[in-house]
Amino acid sequence: MSLGMQMKIALVTGITGQDGTYLARLLLGKGYSVYGTPRSAEGPHLWRLRELDILEHPRLHLVPGGLDDMELLRRLLREISPDEVYNFAATSFVPVTPGQLETMTSATGVGPLRLLEAIRETNPGIKFFQAGSSEMFGRVDTAPQNENTPFHPRNPYGAAKLYAYWNTVIYRETHGIFACNGILFNHESPLRDELFVTRKITRAFAAMRCGSDSLLELGNLDSRRDWGYAPEYMEAVWRMMQGKEPDCYVLASGRTSSVRDFVELAAKAVDMELVWEGIGEKEVGRDNRTGTVRVRVNPAFYRPCERVELVGDAGKAGRLLDWKASTPLEDICRNMVEMDFNRLQKSA
Ligand code: NDP
Ligand code: GDR
C-alpha cells in the first residue's frame, strides 16, 4: 500500500462460512483490516480460516456475535468503524426444518435489516453488501435471469432473502446508504459445506479413492444448477463495493449442469467410469470396472417444487465490473475432489 493511503476496514458477517473466508482472504490481500463476527470465537467452525492460513493473520480480528442483537451491532459499528460491511451470515441450506424456521427467518431475513438500521443510526456513510440468491427468482418464465427478471421465490429461504433484498433497496433509496445487492447463483469450492450436493459428492468420491466402499445416496439426479467458483464471485462482490454507485448485480456462470453431470465429473476425477442403470428411484450408478454400485437415489433427499432451470445472465457485471465467471465446472470439481482426498489422507 502506498504511503498516505488509508488502510480500509471491513466487517464481514458469516466469516466462518465459505464466502466469508474467501472474501476475508481477498480483503487481507488488498491491505484491509478485516473484522469478522463468528457466532463463537473458537471451535471446529474455524476450519476454513485455518485451511486458508489466515486465522492468525495480524489484520484479522474475530469478534463473537450474531445478527440478532441490535445493541451489539450498534456497538460493533461504533467500535470498529468500518468502511464496508459485507453480510454473508445466513442459514444458507435451503431445506429448512420446522424447528429452524425462526432462526432462519431471523438470521437470513431480519439480520440484514438490523445491520442496515444500525448503519443508518451510527454512520450512514458505511457501505453495505447483501448476499442475495438466485432462489429469489424461484419460478421463472424467462431464461436466463437478470437484474430485471421478476422474483417469485418457492421456499421460505428465498422469501427471507427477498425481504433482505428489498430492505437493501429501501435503505439505499430512502436513506442514501451505499447498499448493494448481489444476486448470487450457486458457487462452489473446496470450502463448501458437506450439506450441499457438490461437496457431498466430491467427499464421497475422494473417500472411494481412499479405499472406502461407501455408497453415495442422492436426491434428484436431473436437477440442474448454474454452478460457479466461489473465489471468483468474491472478487465481483468486492468490485461492486468499489463502484461509483450502489447497485444490484447478478453473478452467475451462465451455464447449467445436472447433479448427474457433477457425479460423472467427480468419478472421472478419481479415474472411475460410472454406468447408470434403472430409472427414477431405482436408478443406480455402477463402477464399470468392478461392478460395485457407488451411487443410488434416496427420495429422502428430494425437494418439493424444485424449479426446472435457473440460469443467470451476468452481462451487467461483465459490462460494469469487468467480471465474468471463468473456471470450468470440471476444474472446480477436480479441485474439490483433490482437496477432499488430501484432507482424508491427512486425517488417516
Ligand atoms: P455458509 O453456510 O458456508 O456460511 C454461512 C455463514 O453464516 C457461516 O459463517 C455461519 O456461521 C453463519 N450463520 C449461519 N447461521 C447463522 C445465524 N443464525 N446467525 C449468525 N450467523 C449465522 O454459506 P456460504 O458462504 O456459501 O454463503 C454465504 C452467503 O451467501 C449466505 O448468506 C448464503 O445464503 C448466500 N448465498 C450463497 C450462495 C452459494 O452458492 N454459496 C449462493 C447465493 C447466496 P457458523 O460458522 O457459526 O455456522
Ligand atoms: P441449493 O444447493 O439448494 O441450490 O442452494 P444444494 O447443493 O443443496 O442443492 C443443489 C441441487 O442438488 C439437488 N440434490 C441434492 N442436494 C443436496 N443438498 N443433497 C443431496 O443429496 C441432493 N441430491 C440432489 C437439490 O435438489 C438441488 O436441486 C445453494 C445454497 O448455497 C443457497 O444458500 C444459495 O442461495 C443457492 O445455492 C443459490
Side-chain angles (χ1 to χ4, degrees):
M1 201 179 340
S2 66
L3 278 176
M5 211 172 126
Q6 197 151 17
M7 186 198 278
K8 277 198 189 170
I9 301 171
L11 172 64
V12 180
T13 73
I15 196 160
T16 54
Q18 168 187 264
D19 289 4
T21 303
Y22 281 119
L23 183 76
R25 180 176 70 176
L26 181 144
L27 296 173
L28 290 168
K30 291 185 185 295
Y32 280 62
S33 238
V34 178
Y35 288 78
T37 52
R39 281 184 285 180
S40 92
E42 52 199 26
H45 68 158
L46 300 178
W47 69 271
R48 294 185 178 88
L49 294 163
R50 208 168 277 127
E51 206 168 280
L52 291 197
D53 206 17
I54 54 173
L55 185 59
E56 308 296 336
H57 195 290
R59 277 185 279 110
L60 180 74
H61 314 279
L62 298 182
V63 194
L67 292 183
D68 42 10
D69 181 346
M70 273 295 296
E71 197 37 53
L72 177 77
L73 291 176
R74 284 189 200 103
R75 204 180 66 231
L76 274 179
L77 292 181
R78 267 191 229 107
E79 282 170 9
I80 298 171
S81 196
D83 301 281
E84 298 165 6
V85 172
Y86 295 86
N87 182 42
F88 287 109
T91 303
S92 75
F93 189 52
V94 174
V96 181
T97 62
Q100 295 169 328
L101 286 177
E102 316 283 327
T103 320
M104 185 281 289
T105 307
S106 176
T108 310
V110 190
L113 173 58
R114 293 193 196 98
L115 261 174
L116 283 159
E117 179 55 18
I119 287 174
R120 187 190 69 77
E121 288 173 17
T122 51
N123 172 8
I126 297 172
K127 295 181 175 183
F128 177 79
F129 170 80
Q130 166 58 18
S133 165
S134 49
E135 288 291 322
M136 301 186 305
F137 290 128
R139 200 181 78 187
V140 289
D141 298 324
T142 53
Q145 294 83 43
N146 65 23
E147 296 78 4
N148 301 316
T149 304
F151 297 119
H152 188 142
R154 302 281 269 171
N155 50 56
Y157 166 89
K161 283 285 180 190
L162 195 49
Y163 180 70
Y165 167 93
W166 280 116
N167 280 317
T168 304
V169 172
I170 289 166
Y171 274 68
R172 176 167 76 222
E173 293 179 351
T174 311
H175 304 296
I177 290 172
F178 190 109
C180 292
N181 269 307
I183 304 181
L184 280 52
F185 283 66
N186 301 53
H187 44 282
E188 315 299 309
S189 78
L191 299 188
R192 194 55 145 149
D193 194 278
E194 287 170 28
L195 272 175
F196 300 94
V197 78
T198 55
R199 181 81 202 293
K200 181 176 172 183
I201 294 168
T202 62
R203 207 185 167 286
F205 279 91
M208 291 174 208
R209 186 169 149 202
C210 289
S212 156
D213 56 4
S214 59
L215 180 60
L216 172 61
E217 293 191 333
L218 296 168
N220 187 355
L221 296 169
D222 295 312
S223 177
R224 300 186 75 82
R225 285 293 185 269
D226 178 331
W227 276 305
Y229 187 45
E232 286 179 354
Y233 285 49
M234 294 307 104
E235 171 67 30
V237 165
W238 177 76
R239 288 189 197 178
M240 256 179 238
M241 294 283 273
Q242 315 311 310
K244 271 207 186 81
E245 300 293 336
D247 211 337
C248 167
Y249 294 92
V250 163
L251 300 182
S253 77
R255 57 163 194 236
T256 67
S257 306
S258 66
V259 170
R260 184 194 309 279
D261 296 333
F262 197 88
V263 169
E264 287 172 3
L265 290 177
K268 193 172 157 203
V270 298
D271 295 323
M272 186 191 293
E273 192 201 335
L274 268 189
V275 284
W276 299 100
E277 292 167 10
I279 48 166
E281 291 176 19
K282 298 270 178 273
E283 185 165 5
V284 294
R286 208 181 277 284
D287 180 342
N288 201 20
R289 196 170 49 81
T290 63
T292 316
V293 172
R294 291 303 200 168
V295 184
R296 96 166 161 218
V297 172
N298 180 345
F301 296 108
Y302 283 162
R303 305 233 183 127
C305 274
E306 271 250 300
R307 64 216 185 171
V308 185
E309 180 131 345
L310 280 185
V311 53
D313 165 10
K316 179 174 170 185
R319 286 190 306 280
L320 302 183
L321 306 176
D322 190 24
W323 179 87
K324 88 172 175 10
S326 53
T327 309
L329 189 59
E330 184 164 359
D331 295 1
I332 300 170
C333 181
R334 186 173 292 277
N335 184 6
M336 291 172 71
V337 172
E338 266 163 25
M339 278 300 294
D340 275 326
F341 180 71
N342 292 342
R343 287 177 187 130
L344 288 169
Q345 295 279 78
K346 242 188 223 160
S347 68

